[in-house]
């Protein structure tokens, strides 16, 4: 969409963001939050990310100054978690999508310009916050950050990602969830040392602490990468239309192509030209060039997130990368598994203790990806499987 079409919508957000970042606290039940998540019938994800960030970024400094008193960002997080819970029942998907984009932009700007202590301050607890009972756990550090990390991963695992049954709203919500997870996992790229003691990268640490969800997340991301869900009608996912991808996705792509993500460095934003039609290009360039394959922004983003999570550093026993060991423990779903009519299925929405994929489908996908114009991410996935996953070997 062009600037002329998006300006009226973003102007509404300008007014709302000024209040969010201002010196006055906003009550949890204030009608403001409904206005913020539904400022227009159009979702933020449907606009050029550069334009959206240009509106949000100037308010982040005011938010950092005033939030220790107002705690408006913590209220925003609580609403986001609540909306993601509603999404399990297929409710408030549009509101949740906008909330995820707002939270992601703020975290991205703070991670890029501030310190880890500044980032932590946005998640500080306070007795005045209307906290759900499952958040208040004595002795648990960063409970709000942890519950957000857990809810994001559960959304990836639980949301029905089958192409034939996914609505446009569900596709958009899952896409925004993957983007926010990628933002959280990439914050080490803007700190002095990517490898640092536990607590230096709090968002990534909170993801790594979700031990029970590691295998299930790996399985679902692989399923999305293999199936490459088509973008359904009504999905509000912005595509660059031939121009270089900028904004939030550009930042994440640059993040994954530096420091510990060097294997991805040869793939640059904008390398995949857009073809005709509304779904002709990918949100993450360079992953949709397989001859005869359909573009799938969701599938491409799932592969990228999987690589970032799997190759995040760990330091056992203090910090264990359960995503890496989830991939290394990957099993062939064709063996040692009950028939679908008898019980379990690889597409179960419950978190899996062990990730399982039909290796035949994975082999077919890897061979097709090898023909991509920019196969580096998929070659890195193949390399990771060959060197770490014994059943795959």
């Amino acid at each position: 969409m062009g600037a002329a079409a998006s300006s009226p919508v973003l102007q509404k957000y300008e007014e709302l963001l000024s209040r969010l970042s201002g010196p006055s606290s906003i009550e949890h039940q204030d009608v403001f939050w409904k206005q913020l998540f539904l400022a227009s019938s159009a979702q933020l994800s449907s606009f050029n990310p550069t334009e959206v960030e240009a509106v949000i970024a100037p308010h982040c400094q005011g938010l950092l100054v005033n939030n220790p008193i107002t705690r408006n960002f913590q209220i925003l997080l609580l609403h986001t978690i609540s909306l993601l819970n509603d999404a399990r029942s297929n409710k408030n998907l549009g509101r949740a999508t906008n909330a995820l984009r707002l939270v992601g932009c703020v975290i991205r700007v703070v991670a890029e310009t501030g310190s880890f202590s500044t980032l932590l301050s946005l998640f500080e607890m306070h007795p005045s916050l209307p906290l759900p009972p499952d958040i208040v756990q004595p002795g648990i550090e960063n409970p709000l950050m942890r519950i957000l990390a857990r809810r994001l991963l559960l959304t990836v695992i639980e949301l029905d990602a089958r192409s034939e049954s996914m609505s446009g709203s569900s596709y958009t919500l899952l896409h925004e969830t993957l983007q926010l997870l990628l933002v959280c996992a990439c914050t080490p790229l803007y700190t002095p040392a990517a490898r640092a003691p536990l607590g230096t990268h709090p968002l990534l640490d909170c993801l790594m602490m979700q031990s029970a969800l590691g295998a299930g997340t790996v399985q679902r991301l692989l399923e999305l990468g293999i199936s490459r869900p088509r973008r359904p009608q009504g999905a509000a996912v912005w595509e660059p239309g031939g121009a270089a991808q900028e904004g939030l996705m550009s930042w994440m792509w640059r993040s994954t192509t530096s420091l510990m993500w060097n294997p991805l460095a040869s793939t640059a934003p904008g390398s995949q030209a857009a073809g005709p039609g509304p779904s002709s290009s990918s949100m993450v360039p360079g992953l949709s060039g397989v001859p005869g394959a359909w573009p799938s922004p969701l599938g491409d983003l799932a592969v990228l997130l999987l690589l970032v999570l799997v190759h995040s550093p760990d330091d056992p026993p203090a910090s264990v990368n359960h995503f890496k060991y989830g991939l290394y423990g990957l099993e062939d779903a064709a063996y040692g598994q009950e028939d679908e009519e008898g019980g379990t299925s690889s597409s179960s929405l419950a978190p899996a203790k062990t990730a399982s994929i039909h290796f035949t489908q994975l082999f077919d996908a890897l061979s097709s990806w090898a023909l991509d114009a920019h196969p580096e991410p998929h070659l890195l996935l193949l390399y990771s499987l060959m060197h770490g996953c014994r059943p795959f070997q």
Side-chain angles (χ1 to χ4, degrees), residues 320-333:
V320 177
N321 187 336
H322 297 283
F323 304 100
K324 179 175 71 175
Y325 293 108
L327 183 68
Y328 288 176
L330 185 67
E331 296 180 352
D332 190 346

Side-chain angles (χ1 to χ4, degrees), residues 16-250:
L16 295 168
L17 290 169
S18 295
R19 184 180 174 189
L20 177 69
S21 61
S24 300
S25 299
I26 306 173
E27 295 295 329
H28 184 268
Q29 299 300 329
D30 198 294
V31 70
F32 165 85
W33 299 107
K34 184 176 181 179
Q35 296 171 345
L36 182 66
F37 302 138
L38 290 176
S40 75
S41 57
Q43 294 177 352
L44 286 174
S45 56
S46 65
F47 299 121
N48 187 327
T50 303
E51 297 181 20
V52 176
E53 290 183 28
V55 171
I56 296 176
H59 298 278
C60 290
Q61 185 60 40
L63 185 64
L64 290 176
V65 171
N66 295 311
N67 195 70
I69 298 175
T70 66
R71 298 180 179 86
N72 286 337
F73 187 76
Q74 284 91 326
I75 300 296
L76 172 61
L77 290 173
L78 290 173
H79 277 288
T80 302
I81 293 168
S82 177
L83 289 169
L84 287 175
N85 278 322
D86 290 346
R88 304 172 71 182
S89 304
N90 206 36
K91 298 187 299 183
N92 294 326
L93 300 184
R95 296 185 189 182
T97 297
N98 282 341
L100 290 171
R101 176 55 64 99
L102 289 168
V103 171
C105 284
V106 173
I107 292 177
R108 195 275 302 172
V109 172
V110 174
E112 191 176 40
T113 61
S115 63
F116 80 94
S117 59
T118 304
L119 186 61
L120 273 175
S121 69
L122 293 177
F123 292 84
E124 286 182 347
M125 306 292 288
H126 191 269
S128 65
L129 295 174
L131 301 176
D134 58 347
I135 293 182
V136 184
Q137 300 179 25
I140 300 296
E141 294 184 5
N142 306 330
L144 188 54
M145 192 177 288
R146 285 199 190 188
I147 198 68
L148 175 65
R150 177 176 174 79
R151 187 67 260 160
L152 290 172
L153 293 176
L154 282 173
T155 299
V156 173
I157 295 171
E158 295 173 345
L159 202 62
D160 193 347
R162 291 172 296 181
S163 298
E164 64 274 11
S165 60
M166 191 183 302
S167 66
S169 297
S170 296
Y171 186 100
T172 307
L173 176 63
L174 187 53
H175 189 274
E176 290 298 299
T177 302
L178 295 181
Q179 289 201 71
L180 181 50
L181 282 169
L182 195 51
V183 168
C184 295
C186 286
T187 54
L189 275 301
Y190 288 93
T191 55
R195 251 185 115 82
L198 191 68
T200 306
H201 311 306
L203 280 167
L204 181 59
D205 291 342
C206 285
L207 289 175
M208 294 300 155
M209 290 173 185
Q210 307 300 321
S211 57
L213 303 181
T217 302
V218 168
Q219 177 173 318
R220 181 45 53 92
L221 294 177
L222 280 173
E223 289 173 347
L224 290 170
I226 292 171
S227 64
R228 298 183 57 78
R230 297 176 186 267
R231 175 180 171 178
Q233 185 176 4
V237 176
W238 183 83
E239 297 188 72
Q245 175 71 41
E246 300 176 345
L248 181 62
M249 286 305 299
S250 179

